[in-house]
Every structure is written in structure tokens, then in C-alpha cells.
Amino acid sequence: MSAETVKVIVRCRPMNEKETSENYEGIVNVLPKCGAIEILTPTKPQTSREFTFDCVYDSTSNQKALYDESFKPLVDSVLQGYNGTIFAYGQTGTGKTYTMEGVAKDPDKQGVIPRSFEHIFNHIAQSHDRQYLVRASYLEIYKEQIRDLVSKDPKKRLELKENSDTGVFVKDLSSFVCKSVVEIEHVMNVGNVNRSTGATNMNEHSSRSHAIFMITVESCDVGQSEENHIVVGKLNLVDLAGSERQTKTGASGDRLKEASKINLSLSALGNVISALVDGKNGHVPYRDSKLTRLLQDSLGGNSRTVMVANIGPASYNYEETLTTLRYASRAKHIRNKPQINEDPKDALLRSFQQEIARLKASLINKKTKPKKKGEGGLHDVSKSSDEWADDTEAELEQERKDILNNSSLIAEERDQLLKTLQNKQEELRNKRENQEQLASRIEALESKLLTGHIGVTSENGTIEDVTKKQQQTLEAHRQEIIERERQEREIRQKLESQDEEVIDFKENFSSLQQEIDYKTRKLRKMYARWQSVRQEMSDLGDEFNRQRRELEETQEVLMKELRLKQLIVSHFVPPEFRRQITSRLRYEEDEEKWMLSSATEMPLLPRSCASKFELRPTSDFEKLARSTEDSSSFGRFKCENIFMLSLDIPQRTTKEYEGPEISPTLQAALTQALQCQSHAMEVQSSKYKPVDIHSFLKSACRRKMQLIQRPRSRNSAKFNNSPSHKRYPQGHAPDGTITAAPYPKSRGLVPK
Ligand code: ADP
Ligand code: MG
């Protein structure tokens, strides 16, 4: 097993609109020929730092060239059965998603992921005598939780598991068998819709999660050999969330929490890289984050890995760009041990092949059925199942006709025979349906297994074959050129690094002047190197301080939030409940989170022994308050009977009828009249006609009723003497106001 290093490429995006409008200076020089990036220090324009990588791309680089040069070889090796990982790392808004996904509707700007789809399916279409099975899954790690982006419930968190055969894997992650570019693109599009994004000051559609698109390609030879070895290559396409600073992205609230988790997992990634490169204590902290656990094979394990470090050119991102370049420069030294994965236990292709063979065998079994009882012969297998079924059906139909035409049969016998025949026909129909189902299942399974050309191709094939061959040759030439360029870059880099060492060997000088010149040059070089090391040290110190400051700031904000929550808990949750809840809390290792166990699992709290007769602890004040009449009406001091059982009486809106007030004179007249009511009465006056006392009383009462309908004072008698309450005819005062009408004066009723 040969070890190889992680391939690191750097891509610098063009200045964006904001940077151009604000006239930021470009501080990044990309030197593609040497594979180097030079970054100028904005505060000291003369000083610069240089980093070398496997390949570097400037702002004019195009997606196709990037793919062909840096990613195609990796995808090719996945098709051969190696594991491969491509991951994009960098500050928010530097083009990670652009590199990985690109612009969906613009074919020229398609990123690595869609290009790899085309590459894989083209390769399969052009392959010979090989069967392939392609599966795709899409997940994201959001706030340290794994989510399946293509499942029905994308918010559901999944667990990471590990087993000795397959290593680390995500339990219950859905995977889709894809037969074409369209199908696999559909998986990607569905996942992208579900991906967590959010706007920050640095990028309007900043990816807030690490997204991993996984493609598994299983393949095996078909045809001659009995033993078909299956090889399985897994391709992980990782678009990391941006490394970011809280101050620049303006993150707060949920964004801040996301950012702290993003930064946590990225620093865990950085620690894994450092541990792999330094290799001092042998421990690699893969378990510090979900991301590093999932990428365990890609970093220092069984995988070929390409890391794309994305940077921006503007001066205000100097620190982040420098950090990314340092990060990438370290990753160059990670050594992986890729190997072809042969015949893994969980190969789906094998189970598909076995299932197809089983179904085919049972289909043949169904066809090869004894023809007739007693004949013992087998059904002619050269006939198709449809032909066989048609024949049998025709035979049964003929038999039916014979029975119907046979006049020697009695009715009962005929019915019996017809029934048996009908059963046979039914059975045949069921069998036919079963066979059809089996055949369609075989067809469905076979359609999932992709094959290119089967059989030997002729030397002088069709025009299509010839064109394909030419394309392949062209591609091979292109790859050769790319490889040569890479070698050239490598040699250049080696020459540069050897330059200083070579000088040390030239110790023989012909003259003093020559020695002076040589040593002056050497001194200059050494001085420059010393300067750069000193600069590096100061940069690292600055970066360390900055990171610490940022972590402290984030910690402070999070602490503030925690203190607020603690304050709420201590002031609003009674201590007994708090204790109870705390005792119910337990930490789930697998899920890596605190869980609250069910209340029924917990022992009940013992009843307070303050008083045997009380259901709950009762203070003296409460007892006192409960005994007083006033407070007993409040629920607060009630013990178990907190309900008020008395009825709520509605407010009265009517009042008792009060009869009309009768003046004493009238009352006297009435009393008198009632004493002698049986006698008719006459008024003793010659002027008046004799009247009936009943009709008189009736009219008197009516008048009285009219009077009491008008407003009047209860003490009218008292005011009647005042000048303002003079009597006016018909109750009307000269100023128009209505006054109380005078009662009729008793004129002395005399019995007849
Ligand atoms: P990231 O994923 O790193 O946060 P994006 O990929 O979303 O950043 O890129 C941010 C913006 O920059 C997008 O509008 C994208 O189109 C643009 N961009 C990034 N890299 C390039 C590039 N190489 N060429 C042109 N535009 C780019
Ligand atoms: Mg992004």
C-alpha cells in the first residue's frame, strides 16, 4: 500500500462588486507556473509571504479547466475502486459553493459536483464488459447535527456509527440508485433546497452547514470469468461552511450559535490536520467533531484527497486569506494510504446480482412444469412463457367446448367438469400474472445495473465508436499535457528550495573578492529568511491573539445568554422542581446531547412531613390567612379545594315594582269611599250633576297615573309653598316648563 499526500490547490476569486466599489487593494498574486501564491502585507507593502501548492488558479480560471486538471484524475480513481474526497475550504464568500456546485443554469459555470456526474456516467457508457451500480446520498452537518438532505424529514438528526468493516458511517442515511445524470442531478437539487443557508454581511447566501454529497460506484467485470470481483469507490464531495469572524459577518443570536459550531468543527479539522502533520503523540482528535469523524478516511486514511482552498484578493481579508493559506499549506503534508476496495461485504451490486439470479431461476422453474399428469414430460423450455401460457389456455378452451358439446354428459356432471376447468383457467391466469411480476422485477433490477458495451468490438467499428475512440485518445493527450505541466511545476519548486542548499557546497573561491561576494549574497539570503521567519512568528502570534480574542468575545455573548437563562430558572422555577429536573437529566453519549428522562421513571418526591393533615407544606402565615374569612375567598390560601363552588349571581338589571304614590287627601277619600262602597254617592251640590262614585274614583286614579309619569320631587308638598313652585293651570308654567298638576281637593263626599 503506497502512501501519497493530500493534493492541495488554491483558487482566488475575482474582486466582488462591494470590494471594487470600496476601492480595496488586491494583495494576492497568483503565479500558476510555479504553483505559488504571493500575499502582500497591507501595512508593509514591501513585505510579502509566498506559499507553494500543487496547483493555483487565479480569478480568470474557468470551471472546466479546474475540473479537468485537478479533479478528473481523482474521479477516475474512484471509478477504479478507490475512495476519493474533494473538499472546499475557505472564508465565507470566497467561492467554495461556486467551486463545488457552480451556477446551476450556466453549463460553463457548472461546478465540480455536476461535472463529476457527467464524468462518471460518460465513463460507464464508454466502458466495455463491465457492470456498474451508482448510488448517491446527500447530508449536511448543521450545528453539529447530521441531517439527511434527501429524506422525507430533512430536519431529523442522524447518528454516526462505526464498524470494523465499513469504518465510520451514518445510520439510516438514505441512498438512491441513479441510472443517469438526470436522476443524480435530481438528488442534488432536492438536497440543495433543504440545505441550511442564511445571509451574513460577507455572503447573502452563506452556507451555514457542511454539506457532503456522497457517490458510491460499485463495478465488476461481466462475462467470461466465473469469479467477478466487485470494486467499490466512494466519492465525497464536501462543501464546508465558511470559516468566519463574528465581527465581520455581523453574526448574532442564532447566526452566532451557528458560527460558533462552524468554527468549532473547522478548528477540530485544523487540529486533525496539525496532529497528522506533526505526528508527535500519535493521537489524532477525529472524535472532536462530526465533520472530522466523517472525513476520517479522507484525512490520513484510505482515500485520495484534493483540498481546494478558496481565497479572496482584497486587502481587508488579509488575515483570513493568510490563515487559509497556512491551513492549506499544512494540509499538503498529510499522508493518505489509498487502496482499491475489493469485494466489500456491503456491496449492493452483489446482492442485486444474486437477487436477479434467484428471480430468473424461479421464473424458469415456473415455466418448466410437467405437461400433463401421467405424461411425465417437461414443458418445452425453448418456448417463451407467453407461448406456453397461450397454448395451455387454448387447450383449456377446447376442453370447455368439448364438454359443452358432449350430450352424453348429464347436467350435474357437466357443471362439475366446467367448474374444474374454470379453476384451472383461474390458476393459469394467476401464474401468468406472477410470471409477469417476476419478469418486471427482474427488468427493474437489471435496469439499475449499468453496462457500457458488452461483447468484443470490431476493429473497424461504427462511426460512433471511432469518434469515441478519438475522443479518448484526445483526452489521454490532454491528461498527459496536464501531467507534464504538473511535473514542470514540481521541478521548479524543487529547484527553488534546493537553490539555498546548493550554495553551501561552493566553498572553494579563487579570490577574496569572490568569497566576499558569495558571503554577502549568502548573508542577504539568510537575512531575508530570518526576516521571513520573524514575520511568520509575529503573524502567528497575531493570529493566535486574534483567534483568542474572537473566542473570548463569542464566549462572552454565549455566557450572557446562559446567565439570563440561569436567572430565569432561579427566579421562576421553584427549587424543588429544579432539583427534580436536574436529577432527571442524563447525557446520551451516542446522540451527544442531554436528555430528560420521563417523569414516571423517577421516584416520587416524599411528602413533606410539616403536617400530617396537610397535602402540602403549609406555612403558619398561610394557616392564619386561611382561617380568616376574607382570605378564604382567595384560591391562594386554599389547599386542595382551589375551586370556588359558589354560584356566580348575575348582576340585576331590573327593580321591584313600586306602586304610584297616593296623596294623603286622596288616600283619605279612598278609605272613606271603600268603607261605604256598596252605596251610590252623590255630590251635595246643586251645580253638579249627581255622579257615580266608582266612575269618579276611576277618573281620579287615571289622572293620578298621568301625573306620576312626569318627573316630580318626592317632597313636592314642601316645595309647593315656594314661589318657584306656584300652581299653574293644566300644570304648565308661563316659561314653558311643566310643573306638577294640583291634586283634586276633597270636596267632602256625602252619602245619599
Ligand atoms: P462561499 O460558498 O465560499 O461562502 P460562494 O461560492 O457562495 O461563497 O461565492 C460567493 C459569491 O462569489 C457568489 O456570488 C459567486 O458567484 C462569486 N464567486 C466566487 N468565486 C468566483 C469565481 N471564481 N468567479 C466568479 N465568481 C465567483
Ligand atoms: Mg457556501
Side-chain angles (χ1 to χ4, degrees), residues 118-293:
E118 261 175 43
H119 179 178
I120 290 169
F121 285 99
N122 275 346
H123 175 94
I124 293 172
Q126 287 169 11
S127 67
H128 285 279
D129 297 334
R130 225 173 150 71
Q131 202 164 44
Y132 289 86
L133 184 82
V134 182
R135 282 184 281 156
S137 308
Y138 202 3
L139 65 88
E140 72 168 357
I141 307 172
Y142 177 67
K143 289 207 249 174
E144 276 305 277
Q145 293 177 7
I146 299 175
R147 294 171 171 184
D148 187 347
L149 289 174
V150 278
S151 85
K152 279 185 190 134
D153 178 12
K155 295 269 180 289
K156 190 181 160 203
R157 50 185 292 179
L158 302 182
E159 283 174 44
L160 267 185
K161 295 274 173 200
E162 194 164 357
N163 84 27
S164 51
D165 294 327
T166 47
V168 181
F169 67 98
V170 181
K171 197 180 157 211
D172 298 331
L173 180 71
S174 41
S175 97
F176 294 88
V177 174
C178 303
K179 290 175 280 179
S180 63
V181 175
V182 177
E183 283 186 13
I184 201 165
E185 265 177 356
H186 182 64
V187 175
M188 180 185 76
N189 293 338
V190 171
N192 283 345
V193 171
N194 292 328
R195 200 178 163 189
S196 308
T197 56
T200 69
N201 290 351
M202 301 290 294
N203 185 355
E204 217 177 294
H205 302 284
S206 171
S207 323
R208 310 303 295 165
S209 64
H210 309 300
I212 306 181
F213 194 93
M214 294 171 168
I215 307 173
T216 310
V217 185
E218 298 180 11
S219 64
C220 76
D221 279 333
V222 280
Q224 300 86 10
S225 76
E226 273 288 296
E227 233 180 86
N228 292 339
H229 283 297
I230 292 180
V231 292
V232 180
K234 284 183 191 157
L235 177 63
N236 291 326
L237 300 157
V238 190
D239 178 13
L240 295 176
S243 57
E244 54 185 60
R245 291 171 61 187
Q246 184 208 337
T247 39
K248 272 195 180 173
T249 51
S252 62
D254 271 358
R255 287 272 166 282
L256 178 69
K257 273 188 213 157
E258 281 170 359
S260 61
K261 293 275 187 194
I262 292 170
N263 288 345
L264 201 81
S265 53
L266 289 176
S267 60
L269 184 66
N271 293 341
V272 165
I273 292 175
S274 300
L276 284 168
V277 175
D278 297 344
K280 274 180 196 152
N281 59 9
H283 170 69
V284 185
Y286 288 117
R287 287 186 159 262
D288 280 3
S289 78
K290 298 259 162 65
L291 177 71
T292 46
R293 272 192 87 187

Side-chain angles (χ1 to χ4, degrees), residues 498 500-509 518 522:
Q498 280 171 1
E500 290 154 14
E501 287 148 32
V502 169
I503 290 169
D504 292 341
F505 298 113
K506 294 183 188 166
E507 290 289 334
N508 303 326
F509 308 106
Y518 162 71
K522 189 174 176 181

